Amino acid sequence: MKKVLLIDDSTKVLFVTEKLIKIVLPDVKTYTAASGQKGLKLISSIKPNVILLDILMPEMDGYEVCKKVKNNSNTGDIPVILVSSLDYNRENRLKAIEAGADAFLSKPIDKQELVLQLQAMLKINEGNLRKKSEQQRLEKLVAEKTEHLQHQLEQRAKITQKLKESEKELKELNATKDKFFSIIAHDLKSPFGSVLGLSDLLTKKIEKGDQSQLLHLSSLLFKAANQGFDLLNNLLEWSRTQLGKKEFKPELLNMCNLIKELTALFSLTAKEKDIEIEIKCTESIRIFADPNMLNSIMRNLLSNAIKYSYEGSRITITADKNEDEVTIAVKDQGTGISKHLQSRLFNIGEDVSMLGTKDEKGTGLGLILCKEFVEIHGGRIKVESEIGKGSIFSFTLPVYKE
């Protein structure tokens, strides 16, 4: 049922107008308010289809009430008919337009004009409601389409990200494969070729009873075999990490004892180059780490330090502790590494193998292995180096807290 709100400070006018509307428009329900303030309160509760509003009212006149109705987003589309005994002259017409009124009736109200105005305003309101409903429907449709499009874009972004990740992973796998086959085809072949050649030469010397150079050849044979063993050991450990078969089994370790034990294993190799190994470590430093991984990290760093150190130089191994982590550093006085190569040392896709000071060969695999093992422990590894002055390779491990 359509609703019409009558606002007038005269109860007589309200009574007569309400009665008239009920006679001529029986399908319309009427509501009345005796002041502008009461009318505004009633508007928000009943939401009328048309408002019939008197202009000359105390406290708040019809123009002000009309402005409030039209300036409210919830009621602005309700048609307002201003009613007054004032002449509908230019001044009053301008005030009505400024207030936002939709029509104007003069008192005494003409019955036929009232009916026509109400019918016209009810149609306008019906059109406004349809328009509003259609607008809300379209807004809802746009919101749904936008949400659907947003969801599609998010899904596409996720797929794109997964493709990028897959592409990156594929590149890393290809680089790993290339590195693996390169080591097998070239680096691993070299020491075993030396072992075979030296063994053959040594056998022929013995068969001929030639005792000269036997000690020298035996020493070379040991070096070649040791080089092959170290490379093969790194290759096996690296392949286990790539296959996810390298288990992480941390335990409580004394860092200084581990450094001393490992240094003793390299004493003979260091002696051949007249290299002094100095250890600076506090006995109380304890860490929670995987002993096999830590041995591999230290073995590779110390082996590299000896390989690239000059004869008669010094290698210093330090272990320092703060509240959160232990920093282990291996410092040499060797050839040093250029800034360009430093940024590529820990990248599997880069070939940064360099000859040692006695033409010892390297693959770069050891440092990649060090990086992986350090990161498994939650630590970091870095290099500081200067050509001709040596290098410092350092890594961190979380400190053991009782």
Side-chain angles (χ1 to χ4, degrees):
M1 181 176 281
K2 304 295 183 180
K3 293 176 281 188
V4 174
L5 174 62
L6 312 175
I7 305 174
D8 199 305
D9 61 326
S10 170
T11 55
K12 183 179 178 181
V13 171
L14 288 175
F15 176 76
V16 173
T17 307
E18 184 178 23
K19 188 175 181 181
L20 178 60
I21 293 173
K22 285 181 179 179
I23 293 170
V24 296
L25 297 170
D27 58 337
V28 172
K29 184 173 178 59
T30 56
Y31 297 84
T32 60
S35 69
Q37 291 92 335
K38 290 179 180 179
L40 289 173
K41 288 182 180 179
L42 202 54
I43 289 169
S44 61
S45 61
I46 67 168
K47 295 179 181 176
N49 301 99
V50 179
I51 300 171
L52 204 62
L53 176 62
D54 185 34
I55 294 176
L56 299 176
M57 293 187 294
E59 298 180 10
M60 186 185 295
D61 64 21
Y63 294 127
E64 190 175 349
V65 174
C66 186
K67 285 180 182 179
K68 289 183 179 294
V69 170
K70 291 298 181 177
N71 291 333
N72 189 322
S73 59
N74 294 321
T75 60
D77 58 348
I78 301 174
V80 177
I81 303 173
L82 287 178
V83 182
S84 178
S85 57
L86 296 171
D87 291 335
Y88 193 45
N89 55 28
R90 182 176 182 278
E91 183 183 353
N92 289 328
R93 287 200 307 273
L94 290 175
K95 284 185 177 181
I97 293 169
E98 185 182 357
D102 297 274
F104 188 94
L105 286 175
S106 297
K107 289 183 180 180
I109 299 173
D110 182 79
K111 175 182 175 182
Q112 187 177 1
E113 188 179 2
L114 173 63
V115 172
L116 290 174
Q117 287 280 26
L118 283 175
Q119 287 176 336
M121 293 302 111
L122 286 170
K123 285 183 179 180
I124 290 173
N125 178 253
E126 187 177 349
N128 288 341
L129 290 176
R130 279 200 301 267
K131 181 181 176 182
K132 189 174 184 179
S133 176
E134 181 64 14
Q135 184 178 352
Q136 289 174 344
R137 186 187 71 81
L138 289 174
E139 286 176 353
K140 183 181 178 182
L141 183 62
V142 169
E144 289 174 352
K145 292 288 185 182
T146 302
E147 185 180 356
H148 179 66
L149 182 60
Q150 183 66 31
H151 178 69
Q152 285 185 322
L153 289 173
E154 288 174 358
Q155 290 297 111
R156 187 171 295 178
K158 288 180 181 178
I159 292 170
T160 303
Q161 183 61 32
K162 285 182 179 179
L163 286 173
K164 287 181 179 178
E165 291 172 358
S166 298
E167 183 182 10
K168 182 182 177 183
E169 187 178 349
L170 186 60
K171 285 181 179 178
E172 290 175 352
L173 286 172
N174 281 331
T176 300
K177 178 201 69 177
D178 293 342
K179 187 79 172 179
F180 187 83
F181 286 125
S182 173
I183 291 169
I184 291 175
H186 302 289
D187 302 295
L188 196 58
K189 182 181 178 182
S190 177
F192 282 110
S194 298
V195 168
L196 291 172
L198 288 168
S199 299
D200 183 54
L201 184 59
L202 195 61
T203 302
K204 289 177 180 178
K205 289 276 186 182
I206 293 171
E207 286 176 350
K208 291 178 181 180
D210 185 356
Q211 300 294 317
S212 65
Q213 296 187 314
L214 286 183
L215 186 61
H216 176 64
L217 290 173
S218 297
S219 177
L220 291 176
L221 182 62
F222 173 77
K223 286 181 181 178
N226 196 52
Q227 182 188 354
F229 176 77
D230 285 343
L231 179 56
L232 188 59
N233 194 44
N234 275 341
L235 197 60
L236 289 172
E237 287 189 333
W238 180 54
S239 63
R240 287 194 193 103
T241 61
Q242 300 306 304
L243 295 171
K245 293 182 178 180
K246 183 73 175 176
E247 294 184 0
F248 180 56
K249 295 181 179 179
E251 58 185 67
L252 187 60
L253 302 170
N254 185 302
M255 191 66 218
C256 297
N257 289 345
L258 186 143
I259 291 173
K260 289 175 182 176
E261 290 170 6
L262 194 66
T263 302
L265 296 177
F266 282 88
S267 58
L268 189 61
T269 310
K271 189 176 181 181
E272 289 178 356
K273 280 187 163 184
D274 193 25
I275 294 170
E276 177 189 352
I277 300 178
E278 180 183 17
I279 300 172
K280 294 180 180 180
C281 181
T282 306
E283 294 292 336
S284 60
I285 294 180
R286 295 194 296 170
I287 57 171
F288 197 64
D290 185 302
N292 292 326
M293 290 186 183
L294 191 55
N295 266 302
S296 180
I297 296 167
M298 291 301 301
R299 187 178 69 248
N300 276 292
L301 293 183
L302 188 52
S303 175
N304 282 349
I306 294 172
K307 185 186 302 179
Y308 299 107
S309 285
Y310 296 109
E311 289 190 27
S313 63
R314 175 185 295 176
I315 293 172
T316 305
I317 304 173
T318 60
D320 298 301
K321 180 178 73 171
N322 60 29
E323 289 185 2
D324 300 313
E325 60 188 17
V326 175
T327 301
I328 299 97
V330 179
K331 177 183 179 183
D332 64 58
Q333 298 170 338
T335 58
I337 307 164
S338 68
K339 292 287 184 184
H340 174 64
L341 286 180
Q342 288 178 40
S343 62
R344 299 163 56 196
L345 285 176
F346 303 105
N347 189 343
I348 186 67
E350 301 285 352
D351 184 10
V352 290
S353 59
M354 300 174 291
L355 291 176
T357 53
K358 281 196 170 183
D359 294 332
E360 302 100 321
K361 291 184 178 181
T363 63
L365 180 60
L367 288 177
I368 293 167
L369 196 61
C370 287
K371 182 176 182 291
E372 290 193 12
F373 286 172
V374 167
E375 289 178 350
I376 287 173
H377 282 82
R380 308 175 306 280
I381 188 168
K382 67 175 183 177
V383 59
E384 301 169 66
S385 187
E386 190 175 344
I387 294 292
K389 292 187 177 181
S391 305
I392 304 174
F393 281 86
S394 61
F395 64 95
T396 62
L397 295 173
V399 72
Y400 174 71
K401 296 181 180 180
E402 297 183 9

